[in-house]
Amino acid sequence: MTQKEPLEELPAQYNPAETERELYKRWEAAGIFTANRSESSRSGGSDTPFVIVMPPPNVTAVLHMGHGLNNAVQDVITRWRRMSGDETLWVPGTDHAGIATQNVVEKLIARETGQTRFDLGREAFVARTTEFVEETGGAILQQLRAIGASCDWTRTAYTLSPELSHAVREAFVRLHEKKLIYRGHRVIHWCPRCLTSLSDEESEHSESTGKLYYVDYLLADGGTADRKAITVATTRPETILADVAIAVHPDDERNRRFVGLEVTLPVTGLRVPIIADEYVDPEFGTGALKITPAHDANDFEVGKRHKLAMPVVIDAEGRIQDPGDGAGRVPQSLLGLDRFEAREKMVEMIRAEGRMLKIDSHQHGVRHCYRCDTVVEPRLSDQWFIRMQPLAAPALAAVRDRKIRVMPERWEAVYINWLEGIRDWNISRQLWWGHRIPVWYCDPCKKEFASREDLTACPDCKGSVRQDPDVLDTWFSSWLWPFSTLGWPNEKSADLKAFYPTDDLITAPEILFFWVARMIMAGIEFMGEPPFHTVYLHGTVRDTNHVKMSKSLGNGIDPLDVVKLYGADALRFTAISGLGMGADVILDPADLEKSFAPGRNFATKLWNIGRFLLSRVGDSPVREISTIGSDELTRADAWILSRLNIAIEECDRALGPARPRDGTWTEEETRSGLRLSEYAESARRLVWNELADWYLESLKGRLQEEGDDREVARAVLVHAFDTALRLLHPIVPFVTEALWQRLPPGKARDMEFIAVSRWPKAMEVPARAAEFENVRNAVVALRQLRADYAIPPGKIIAANVVAKDSAAVYEQEASIIGRLSGTTVAVVDGPTSETSAHILLPDGSEILVPLAGVVDIVRECEKLRTELSQLDKQLTALTTRLGNENFTARAPASVVQAEREKHAEWSARKAQMEEKVRSLCGS
C-alpha cells in the first residue's frame, strides 16, 4: 500500500488546477475504479455488485452541462456504493450515433473536398467516418475524467465495436425468427434533409401557426340541383396532387348523400370517388376529408380499408415528382419544386380556378426531425419494423409490479401511457453509417434471409445475394446496452454472470421513450429479467429564462470552462445541491462566477476548515475513537459524535435504499432515496455549521494544553473531520481526497485513498450529548441579545444563569459559553435587583443580563415601548378585521387563513416584547 504524503502545512488557498488532475491520475493508476468480477457475490465472492451503465454520449459530442449534471449524479451514486462495500461497476462508453455522425462527416467532406457521400461511394464514406471517429470519438470520455467520473475505463464500450455489433446482429435475427421483426409497406416519418426514415419518437411534435385552406372539390357531372361542390379543409394543398378520394362520416347528414359520387380534383381535374369512413371527424372543418394515402399515416389506413391507389408525389428530398401511374397527376410547372414552394404555387393555381373558398390561420402540431429540425414528411415507404406490443406487455408489468421504480413518480404515468398506446417501431434508416441490416435477398429465387453471418450465396439456390442497403436505428444497438456491454450474447460471459442485472439507470426525461423503455423491453426479452430496478430521471439544466441549455441556442455552459476557473468540485457541488427531486438546475451562462459560487465557496470553506483543523491537531498519530471511554468525552465531544450519527442517518436516508428487498420495491421504498440535494445539505451542514462553527470553536483551549484531554480532543476532532470528508466525498471527491490524505495516521485511516475508504456508520454516544444543546442555546440567545442591543463585539458583558434543572451543565461549561458569546457567565440562585434583560431558554432556565452601563436603558425602553405600541395598533386592526363576518365569509379561504396565521405570529411577538419591556424597564 502506498504511503500517504507526509503532513505539511496546507497552502492558504485551494488550487484545484494543481490538485485534481494529479489525484485522478493516481486513482486511475491504482485501479480503484476497476470492478473485480470474482468479488461479486454472483460469482462466489463476498461483495454485492452495484452496477450502473452510462448513457453513452455520441462519438461526435463534446461535454456540455447536461452531460456534466448527468455524470455528476451517476458518480455520486457510484462512489457512495463503492464506499459502502459493494463491488461497484460503472460502465462507460459511446454511441456511434448514426444520423448525427453521418451529418457531421458529410459536412466535413463538403468543406474539405466539395463532394457528397454519393460522390465518394458507400465504402469510402464509411472508411472516412471510421477514421473521423477514431480521431475524435473518445474525446468526451477524456473530458468526463476532468469532472471526476469514476468509471471502469477498462470496460469502455462502443456501440459499433465488433463485440457489440455481434450482439446487435444476434438480437435482430432472434426477433426475426420469432416473427417480431418484419418488413412493411406503410407511411413513415421521413426527413428530406437527413434522407432517412425516423421513428415516432425521433420526429418531435411542436406547435406551429400555419394555414387552413378551404378548397372546393367540384362534384362531377354537374353535381346536384342544390350542391355543386364539396369543400375540404387542408393544411397541405400540395398533396392534393396525390388525392385518391374524398371521405365523409357515414352518419353526417350534410354529406352522406354524396357517397358513391365523384369529384374532380383542383388543378388536375382528375375524378376521385366520395367514400364513407368512420375515421372522419364531422366536427373538423367541413366534415369532408381529402384522402392522400401515400402522404398521411391515417389516410394510409383509410386507403387500405377501401383498396385505394397510393401514388407518391413527393420524393425523398421533399420535391414534387410524377408518381409514374400515368394518371397525369402533376402539372409540368410543379415538377421538381420544393414541397413548400409547390404549396404556394398550388394555392395560386387553385385561386385562379376560383376554387379557394378561404384561408384561415391554424394552430397545429408539426413534426420535426430531432436531429436537424427539418419539417418531417409523411411518406409511403418499405421499412423494417418491430412488433412492439408483445415486448411492451412485460415491460408494463415490471413497473406495475414494482420490479422497477421510476423517479420522480410523475414519469411512471407517462411511461405507462406510452407503452399502453405503443406502435410498431420503424428500425430501418436510409444511412450508410451504422449497423447494416443483416438481411440478404436472393433475386433468382426471390427469398430473403436474416443471418448471423455474412452471406455470399443463397442458402437455398446458391445464387448470388445482395444485402439490404439500410442500417438499423441507432437506438436498436443502444437498447441492448445494459447487457451487450457485459458480453451478451455469450451466455458464459463472466461479466454478464457477475454484473447483470444492473441497478440504477440515471438519465434525462427526454429519452424515456427513445432508450429507457426500450432497454427494459430488451432486457426482459433477451435476458429474462429487467435490466435495472431504478430509473431516475433528473432535471434539466436551464438558463435564467428557464430555457434548456443548448449549444445551438448559444445559452450553454462548457463544464470544462467551469473546471478551469473553479474546479470540478465547484461544478459538482453546485449541480448536486441544486438538484431537488424532479427539479431543474438553473444557471446563468452570462455569469459563471455567480452561477457556481455555491460550489466554489463550499470548496474554499472546506479547505479553510481543514487547514485550520490540521494546523491544530498536528501530524502525530491519534487515538482510535473506539479506544476512548465515554467518561473521557466532554459534552462537546459527545454532542459532535451525536451530530455525526444524525448526519450519517440523514445522508443514508437521502441516498438510499440502494436496492429493493427480495427484488420488489415496497410502496414506501418506491418513493424514497435519491434525494441528492437533501444529501448535499446534510453533509454541508455537518462540516460547515456543526463541526466548524461549534465543535471546533468549543475545543480551541483543549488543543493548546498537553495531556490526556488534548489527545481525546484530537482524536474526536480528527474522527469527526474524517467522517465529514467521507460523507462529502461522493459530491466533492477531489478536495476531500486532498484533505483526507493529510489527516494524521490512525487505524481507520490507513487506506491509500478516501475513494475506497468505508462509508461511515453510526456509533453509540453518551446520553449527555443532549446537554451540549443547552450550551448552544445559551450562546445563540446571548449572541442575539448582543445584536438586538448593538453591543460592540469587544465589549464583555455579564450573564447570570438561573438554572432550572441543569445548574451543573452551565457551571461546568461556563467558560465555553462565555468565550463563544463574549460574556462572563455565573450561575445564580435567582433574579437580582439590577435592571436586566431576561432570556428564557428551551430547558426552562433563564439568563439575566444586566444592561446598566452597557446600553442606554432609557433610550432602549423608549424604543421598545414605541415598537410595542405600533405592534399593538396593528394587532388591534387585524383582530377587528378577523372579527368582521363580511371579510371572513367573502374573502378567499387562503386569504383568511393567512391573516389568522399573521394574527398568531403578531400575538406571540407582542407577548415577547411585553416580557422584554417588563424585564428591562420594570413595567
Side-chain angles (χ1 to χ4, degrees), residues 326-353:
R329 290 185 170 276
V330 181
Q332 191 69 30
S333 61
L334 296 177
L335 285 173
L337 288 184
D338 173 81
R339 54 191 166 149
F340 298 116
E341 294 176 323
R343 178 177 300 175
E344 298 304 317
K345 185 71 172 176
M346 280 289 290
V347 169
E348 292 176 10
M349 298 169 78
I350 294 168
R351 275 196 177 123
E353 292 181 354

PDB file of all heavy atoms in Angstrom, residues 326-353:
ATOM      1  N   GLY A 326     -49.224   7.194 -64.639  1.00  0.00           N
ATOM      2  CA  GLY A 326     -49.828   7.502 -65.932  1.00  0.00           C
ATOM      3  C   GLY A 326     -51.108   8.289 -65.841  1.00  0.00           C
ATOM      4  O   GLY A 326     -51.796   8.471 -66.859  1.00  0.00           O
ATOM      5  N   ALA A 327     -51.448   8.789 -64.665  1.00  0.00           N
ATOM      6  CA  ALA A 327     -52.730   9.493 -64.496  1.00  0.00           C
ATOM      7  C   ALA A 327     -52.632  10.974 -64.807  1.00  0.00           C
ATOM      8  O   ALA A 327     -53.644  11.675 -64.837  1.00  0.00           O
ATOM      9  CB  ALA A 327     -53.242   9.300 -63.068  1.00  0.00           C
ATOM     10  N   GLY A 328     -51.428  11.467 -65.048  1.00  0.00           N
ATOM     11  CA  GLY A 328     -51.271  12.902 -65.310  1.00  0.00           C
ATOM     12  C   GLY A 328     -51.570  13.738 -64.074  1.00  0.00           C
ATOM     13  O   GLY A 328     -52.229  14.767 -64.170  1.00  0.00           O
ATOM     14  N   ARG A 329     -51.054  13.307 -62.942  1.00  0.00           N
ATOM     15  CA  ARG A 329     -51.375  13.961 -61.672  1.00  0.00           C
ATOM     16  C   ARG A 329     -50.642  15.280 -61.464  1.00  0.00           C
ATOM     17  O   ARG A 329     -51.137  16.157 -60.762  1.00  0.00           O
ATOM     18  CB  ARG A 329     -51.021  13.032 -60.501  1.00  0.00           C
ATOM     19  CG  ARG A 329     -51.920  11.834 -60.393  1.00  0.00           C
ATOM     20  CD  ARG A 329     -51.610  11.010 -59.159  1.00  0.00           C
ATOM     21  NE  ARG A 329     -52.657  10.019 -58.985  1.00  0.00           N
ATOM     22  CZ  ARG A 329     -53.815  10.260 -58.382  1.00  0.00           C
ATOM     23  NH1 ARG A 329     -54.044  11.457 -57.898  1.00  0.00           N
ATOM     24  NH2 ARG A 329     -54.728   9.325 -58.278  1.00  0.00           N
ATOM     25  N   VAL A 330     -49.430  15.401 -62.012  1.00  0.00           N
ATOM     26  CA  VAL A 330     -48.590  16.541 -61.663  1.00  0.00           C
ATOM     27  C   VAL A 330     -48.347  17.425 -62.882  1.00  0.00           C
ATOM     28  O   VAL A 330     -47.736  16.984 -63.859  1.00  0.00           O
ATOM     29  CB  VAL A 330     -47.237  16.056 -61.098  1.00  0.00           C
ATOM     30  CG1 VAL A 330     -46.367  17.247 -60.706  1.00  0.00           C
ATOM     31  CG2 VAL A 330     -47.457  15.133 -59.906  1.00  0.00           C
ATOM     32  N   PRO A 331     -48.816  18.684 -62.840  1.00  0.00           N
ATOM     33  CA  PRO A 331     -48.529  19.612 -63.947  1.00  0.00           C
ATOM     34  C   PRO A 331     -47.032  19.836 -64.090  1.00  0.00           C
ATOM     35  O   PRO A 331     -46.285  19.806 -63.107  1.00  0.00           O
ATOM     36  CB  PRO A 331     -49.234  20.902 -63.511  1.00  0.00           C
ATOM     37  CG  PRO A 331     -50.280  20.472 -62.531  1.00  0.00           C
ATOM     38  CD  PRO A 331     -49.700  19.279 -61.827  1.00  0.00           C
ATOM     39  N   GLN A 332     -46.603  20.060 -65.323  1.00  0.00           N
ATOM     40  CA  GLN A 332     -45.185  20.248 -65.609  1.00  0.00           C
ATOM     41  C   GLN A 332     -44.587  21.384 -64.794  1.00  0.00           C
ATOM     42  O   GLN A 332     -43.434  21.325 -64.355  1.00  0.00           O
ATOM     43  CB  GLN A 332     -45.007  20.531 -67.115  1.00  0.00           C
ATOM     44  CG  GLN A 332     -43.561  20.497 -67.591  1.00  0.00           C
ATOM     45  CD  GLN A 332     -42.953  19.091 -67.556  1.00  0.00           C
ATOM     46  OE1 GLN A 332     -43.673  18.117 -67.724  1.00  0.00           O
ATOM     47  NE2 GLN A 332     -41.645  19.015 -67.324  1.00  0.00           N
ATOM     48  N   SER A 333     -45.382  22.416 -64.537  1.00  0.00           N
ATOM     49  CA  SER A 333     -44.864  23.591 -63.830  1.00  0.00           C
ATOM     50  C   SER A 333     -44.528  23.310 -62.368  1.00  0.00           C
ATOM     51  O   SER A 333     -43.834  24.095 -61.719  1.00  0.00           O
ATOM     52  CB  SER A 333     -45.888  24.728 -63.896  1.00  0.00           C
ATOM     53  OG  SER A 333     -47.109  24.333 -63.258  1.00  0.00           O
ATOM     54  N   LEU A 334     -45.003  22.190 -61.816  1.00  0.00           N
ATOM     55  CA  LEU A 334     -44.754  21.867 -60.418  1.00  0.00           C
ATOM     56  C   LEU A 334     -43.627  20.859 -60.240  1.00  0.00           C
ATOM     57  O   LEU A 334     -43.088  20.722 -59.136  1.00  0.00           O
ATOM     58  CB  LEU A 334     -46.025  21.315 -59.761  1.00  0.00           C
ATOM     59  CG  LEU A 334     -47.210  22.268 -59.659  1.00  0.00           C
ATOM     60  CD1 LEU A 334     -48.406  21.542 -59.050  1.00  0.00           C
ATOM     61  CD2 LEU A 334     -46.858  23.475 -58.821  1.00  0.00           C
ATOM     62  N   LEU A 335     -43.264  20.145 -61.285  1.00  0.00           N
ATOM     63  CA  LEU A 335     -42.242  19.107 -61.172  1.00  0.00           C
ATOM     64  C   LEU A 335     -40.918  19.684 -60.691  1.00  0.00           C
ATOM     65  O   LEU A 335     -40.435  20.701 -61.211  1.00  0.00           O
ATOM     66  CB  LEU A 335     -42.032  18.413 -62.516  1.00  0.00           C
ATOM     67  CG  LEU A 335     -43.126  17.426 -62.958  1.00  0.00           C
ATOM     68  CD1 LEU A 335     -42.865  16.941 -64.377  1.00  0.00           C
ATOM     69  CD2 LEU A 335     -43.184  16.243 -61.991  1.00  0.00           C
ATOM     70  N   GLY A 336     -40.354  19.049 -59.681  1.00  0.00           N
ATOM     71  CA  GLY A 336     -39.049  19.459 -59.160  1.00  0.00           C
ATOM     72  C   GLY A 336     -39.087  20.561 -58.130  1.00  0.00           C
ATOM     73  O   GLY A 336     -38.053  20.888 -57.534  1.00  0.00           O
ATOM     74  N   LEU A 337     -40.268  21.158 -57.904  1.00  0.00           N
ATOM     75  CA  LEU A 337     -40.347  22.214 -56.889  1.00  0.00           C
ATOM     76  C   LEU A 337     -40.257  21.630 -55.486  1.00  0.00           C
ATOM     77  O   LEU A 337     -40.764  20.541 -55.219  1.00  0.00           O
ATOM     78  CB  LEU A 337     -41.670  22.985 -57.020  1.00  0.00           C
ATOM     79  CG  LEU A 337     -41.851  23.924 -58.209  1.00  0.00           C
ATOM     80  CD1 LEU A 337     -43.189  24.647 -58.084  1.00  0.00           C
ATOM     81  CD2 LEU A 337     -40.715  24.931 -58.294  1.00  0.00           C
ATOM     82  N   ASP A 338     -39.629  22.375 -54.579  1.00  0.00           N
ATOM     83  CA  ASP A 338     -39.664  22.013 -53.175  1.00  0.00           C
ATOM     84  C   ASP A 338     -41.120  21.997 -52.701  1.00  0.00           C
ATOM     85  O   ASP A 338     -41.960  22.763 -53.203  1.00  0.00           O
ATOM     86  CB  ASP A 338     -38.857  23.030 -52.361  1.00  0.00           C
ATOM     87  CG  ASP A 338     -38.981  22.807 -50.867  1.00  0.00           C
ATOM     88  OD1 ASP A 338     -38.288  21.930 -50.339  1.00  0.00           O
ATOM     89  OD2 ASP A 338     -39.799  23.503 -50.238  1.00  0.00           O
ATOM     90  N   ARG A 339     -41.439  21.139 -51.755  1.00  0.00           N
ATOM     91  CA  ARG A 339     -42.829  20.953 -51.318  1.00  0.00           C
ATOM     92  C   ARG A 339     -43.465  22.255 -50.833  1.00  0.00           C
ATOM     93  O   ARG A 339     -44.670  22.487 -51.056  1.00  0.00           O
ATOM     94  CB  ARG A 339     -42.899  19.890 -50.224  1.00  0.00           C
ATOM     95  CG  ARG A 339     -41.971  20.180 -49.055  1.00  0.00           C
ATOM     96  CD  ARG A 339     -41.816  19.015 -48.093  1.00  0.00           C
ATOM     97  NE  ARG A 339     -40.686  19.232 -47.206  1.00  0.00           N
ATOM     98  CZ  ARG A 339     -40.592  18.803 -45.965  1.00  0.00           C
ATOM     99  NH1 ARG A 339     -41.590  18.108 -45.452  1.00  0.00           N
ATOM    100  NH2 ARG A 339     -39.531  19.057 -45.242  1.00  0.00           N
ATOM    101  N   PHE A 340     -42.675  23.140 -50.204  1.00  0.00           N
ATOM    102  CA  PHE A 340     -43.256  24.383 -49.699  1.00  0.00           C
ATOM    103  C   PHE A 340     -43.420  25.407 -50.829  1.00  0.00           C
ATOM    104  O   PHE A 340     -44.365  26.200 -50.818  1.00  0.00           O
ATOM    105  CB  PHE A 340     -42.405  24.939 -48.561  1.00  0.00           C
ATOM    106  CG  PHE A 340     -42.333  24.003 -47.382  1.00  0.00           C
ATOM    107  CD1 PHE A 340     -41.133  23.438 -47.003  1.00  0.00           C
ATOM    108  CD2 PHE A 340     -43.481  23.666 -46.678  1.00  0.00           C
ATOM    109  CE1 PHE A 340     -41.061  22.559 -45.924  1.00  0.00           C
ATOM    110  CE2 PHE A 340     -43.427  22.779 -45.606  1.00  0.00           C
ATOM    111  CZ  PHE A 340     -42.224  22.224 -45.228  1.00  0.00           C
ATOM    112  N   GLU A 341     -42.502  25.371 -51.797  1.00  0.00           N
ATOM    113  CA  GLU A 341     -42.691  26.204 -52.993  1.00  0.00           C
ATOM    114  C   GLU A 341     -43.917  25.723 -53.764  1.00  0.00           C
ATOM    115  O   GLU A 341     -44.722  26.531 -54.261  1.00  0.00           O
ATOM    116  CB  GLU A 341     -41.457  26.124 -53.882  1.00  0.00           C
ATOM    117  CG  GLU A 341     -40.204  26.734 -53.289  1.00  0.00           C
ATOM    118  CD  GLU A 341     -38.997  26.539 -54.190  1.00  0.00           C
ATOM    119  OE1 GLU A 341     -38.883  25.468 -54.819  1.00  0.00           O
ATOM    120  OE2 GLU A 341     -38.185  27.457 -54.263  1.00  0.00           O
ATOM    121  N   ALA A 342     -44.053  24.406 -53.845  1.00  0.00           N
ATOM    122  CA  ALA A 342     -45.204  23.838 -54.560  1.00  0.00           C
ATOM    123  C   ALA A 342     -46.514  24.215 -53.864  1.00  0.00           C
ATOM    124  O   ALA A 342     -47.539  24.410 -54.529  1.00  0.00           O
ATOM    125  CB  ALA A 342     -45.067  22.320 -54.646  1.00  0.00           C
ATOM    126  N   ARG A 343     -46.478  24.313 -52.548  1.00  0.00           N
ATOM    127  CA  ARG A 343     -47.692  24.709 -51.814  1.00  0.00           C
ATOM    128  C   ARG A 343     -48.173  26.079 -52.267  1.00  0.00           C
ATOM    129  O   ARG A 343     -49.358  26.279 -52.558  1.00  0.00           O
ATOM    130  CB  ARG A 343     -47.418  24.712 -50.315  1.00  0.00           C
ATOM    131  CG  ARG A 343     -48.603  25.147 -49.464  1.00  0.00           C
ATOM    132  CD  ARG A 343     -48.298  25.054 -47.983  1.00  0.00           C
ATOM    133  NE  ARG A 343     -47.965  23.685 -47.615  1.00  0.00           N
ATOM    134  CZ  ARG A 343     -47.552  23.316 -46.404  1.00  0.00           C
ATOM    135  NH1 ARG A 343     -47.399  24.233 -45.438  1.00  0.00           N
ATOM    136  NH2 ARG A 343     -47.275  22.057 -46.143  1.00  0.00           N
ATOM    137  N   GLU A 344     -47.240  27.043 -52.306  1.00  0.00           N
ATOM    138  CA  GLU A 344     -47.612  28.394 -52.723  1.00  0.00           C
ATOM    139  C   GLU A 344     -48.117  28.406 -54.171  1.00  0.00           C
ATOM    140  O   GLU A 344     -49.075  29.103 -54.507  1.00  0.00           O
ATOM    141  CB  GLU A 344     -46.416  29.337 -52.570  1.00  0.00           C
ATOM    142  CG  GLU A 344     -45.908  29.476 -51.136  1.00  0.00           C
ATOM    143  CD  GLU A 344     -47.008  29.926 -50.189  1.00  0.00           C
ATOM    144  OE1 GLU A 344     -47.783  30.831 -50.564  1.00  0.00           O
ATOM    145  OE2 GLU A 344     -47.113  29.364 -49.077  1.00  0.00           O
ATOM    146  N   LYS A 345     -47.436  27.626 -55.028  1.00  0.00           N
ATOM    147  CA  LYS A 345     -47.845  27.557 -56.432  1.00  0.00           C
ATOM    148  C   LYS A 345     -49.234  26.938 -56.575  1.00  0.00           C
ATOM    149  O   LYS A 345     -50.076  27.421 -57.353  1.00  0.00           O
ATOM    150  CB  LYS A 345     -46.815  26.728 -57.208  1.00  0.00           C
ATOM    151  CG  LYS A 345     -47.051  26.669 -58.705  1.00  0.00           C
ATOM    152  CD  LYS A 345     -46.748  27.995 -59.371  1.00  0.00           C
ATOM    153  CE  LYS A 345     -46.811  27.862 -60.890  1.00  0.00           C
ATOM    154  NZ  LYS A 345     -46.621  29.167 -61.561  1.00  0.00           N
ATOM    155  N   MET A 346     -49.498  25.889 -55.799  1.00  0.00           N
ATOM    156  CA  MET A 346     -50.816  25.245 -55.833  1.00  0.00           C
ATOM    157  C   MET A 346     -51.903  26.211 -55.385  1.00  0.00           C
ATOM    158  O   MET A 346     -53.006  26.259 -55.962  1.00  0.00           O
ATOM    159  CB  MET A 346     -50.829  24.008 -54.937  1.00  0.00           C
ATOM    160  CG  MET A 346     -50.209  22.776 -55.559  1.00  0.00           C
ATOM    161  SD  MET A 346     -51.223  22.060 -56.893  1.00  0.00           S
ATOM    162  CE  MET A 346     -52.608  21.399 -55.969  1.00  0.00           C
ATOM    163  N   VAL A 347     -51.619  26.996 -54.345  1.00  0.00           N
ATOM    164  CA  VAL A 347     -52.612  27.964 -53.860  1.00  0.00           C
ATOM    165  C   VAL A 347     -52.945  28.957 -54.971  1.00  0.00           C
ATOM    166  O   VAL A 347     -54.131  29.289 -55.197  1.00  0.00           O
ATOM    167  CB  VAL A 347     -52.080  28.684 -52.605  1.00  0.00           C
ATOM    168  CG1 VAL A 347     -52.971  29.874 -52.245  1.00  0.00           C
ATOM    169  CG2 VAL A 347     -52.007  27.720 -51.426  1.00  0.00           C
ATOM    170  N   GLU A 348     -51.904  29.429 -55.689  1.00  0.00           N
ATOM    171  CA  GLU A 348     -52.142  30.356 -56.805  1.00  0.00           C
ATOM    172  C   GLU A 348     -53.018  29.701 -57.875  1.00  0.00           C
ATOM    173  O   GLU A 348     -53.958  30.322 -58.404  1.00  0.00           O
ATOM    174  CB  GLU A 348     -50.814  30.779 -57.425  1.00  0.00           C
ATOM    175  CG  GLU A 348     -49.948  31.646 -56.531  1.00  0.00           C
ATOM    176  CD  GLU A 348     -48.611  31.941 -57.182  1.00  0.00           C
ATOM    177  OE1 GLU A 348     -48.458  31.627 -58.392  1.00  0.00           O
ATOM    178  OE2 GLU A 348     -47.716  32.475 -56.488  1.00  0.00           O
ATOM    179  N   MET A 349     -52.721  28.453 -58.209  1.00  0.00           N
ATOM    180  CA  MET A 349     -53.465  27.766 -59.278  1.00  0.00           C
ATOM    181  C   MET A 349     -54.913  27.498 -58.859  1.00  0.00           C
ATOM    182  O   MET A 349     -55.829  27.595 -59.670  1.00  0.00           O
ATOM    183  CB  MET A 349     -52.744  26.462 -59.636  1.00  0.00           C
ATOM    184  CG  MET A 349     -51.332  26.695 -60.187  1.00  0.00           C
ATOM    185  SD  MET A 349     -50.340  25.187 -60.333  1.00  0.00           S
ATOM    186  CE  MET A 349     -51.016  24.483 -61.831  1.00  0.00           C
ATOM    187  N   ILE A 350     -55.096  27.141 -57.574  1.00  0.00           N
ATOM    188  CA  ILE A 350     -56.462  26.883 -57.093  1.00  0.00           C
ATOM    189  C   ILE A 350     -57.266  28.181 -57.087  1.00  0.00           C
ATOM    190  O   ILE A 350     -58.455  28.204 -57.460  1.00  0.00           O
ATOM    191  CB  ILE A 350     -56.417  26.244 -55.684  1.00  0.00           C
ATOM    192  CG1 ILE A 350     -55.794  24.857 -55.764  1.00  0.00           C
ATOM    193  CG2 ILE A 350     -57.818  26.148 -55.084  1.00  0.00           C
ATOM    194  CD1 ILE A 350     -55.448  24.261 -54.398  1.00  0.00           C
ATOM    195  N   ARG A 351     -56.606  29.266 -56.687  1.00  0.00           N
ATOM    196  CA  ARG A 351     -57.279  30.574 -56.717  1.00  0.00           C
ATOM    197  C   ARG A 351     -57.684  30.940 -58.145  1.00  0.00           C
ATOM    198  O   ARG A 351     -58.773  31.454 -58.384  1.00  0.00           O
ATOM    199  CB  ARG A 351     -56.335  31.640 -56.153  1.00  0.00           C
ATOM    200  CG  ARG A 351     -56.364  31.762 -54.633  1.00  0.00           C
ATOM    201  CD  ARG A 351     -55.711  33.076 -54.224  1.00  0.00           C
ATOM    202  NE  ARG A 351     -55.775  33.280 -52.792  1.00  0.00           N
ATOM    203  CZ  ARG A 351     -54.736  33.469 -52.009  1.00  0.00           C
ATOM    204  NH1 ARG A 351     -53.515  33.461 -52.546  1.00  0.00           N
ATOM    205  NH2 ARG A 351     -54.875  33.686 -50.719  1.00  0.00           N
ATOM    206  N   ALA A 352     -56.767  30.666 -59.071  1.00  0.00           N
ATOM    207  CA  ALA A 352     -57.040  31.006 -60.469  1.00  0.00           C
ATOM    208  C   ALA A 352     -58.256  30.260 -60.994  1.00  0.00           C
ATOM    209  O   ALA A 352     -58.977  30.756 -61.880  1.00  0.00           O
ATOM    210  CB  ALA A 352     -55.812  30.702 -61.329  1.00  0.00           C
ATOM    211  N   GLU A 353     -58.510  29.057 -60.469  1.00  0.00           N
ATOM    212  CA  GLU A 353     -59.674  28.280 -60.880  1.00  0.00           C
ATOM    213  C   GLU A 353     -60.945  28.705 -60.135  1.00  0.00           C
ATOM    214  O   GLU A 353     -62.030  28.187 -60.419  1.00  0.00           O
ATOM    215  CB  GLU A 353     -59.424  26.789 -60.637  1.00  0.00           C
ATOM    216  CG  GLU A 353     -58.365  26.181 -61.537  1.00  0.00           C
ATOM    217  CD  GLU A 353     -58.175  24.684 -61.280  1.00  0.00           C
ATOM    218  OE1 GLU A 353     -58.788  24.169 -60.316  1.00  0.00           O
ATOM    219  OE2 GLU A 353     -57.439  24.044 -62.042  1.00  0.00           O
TER     220      GLU A 353
END
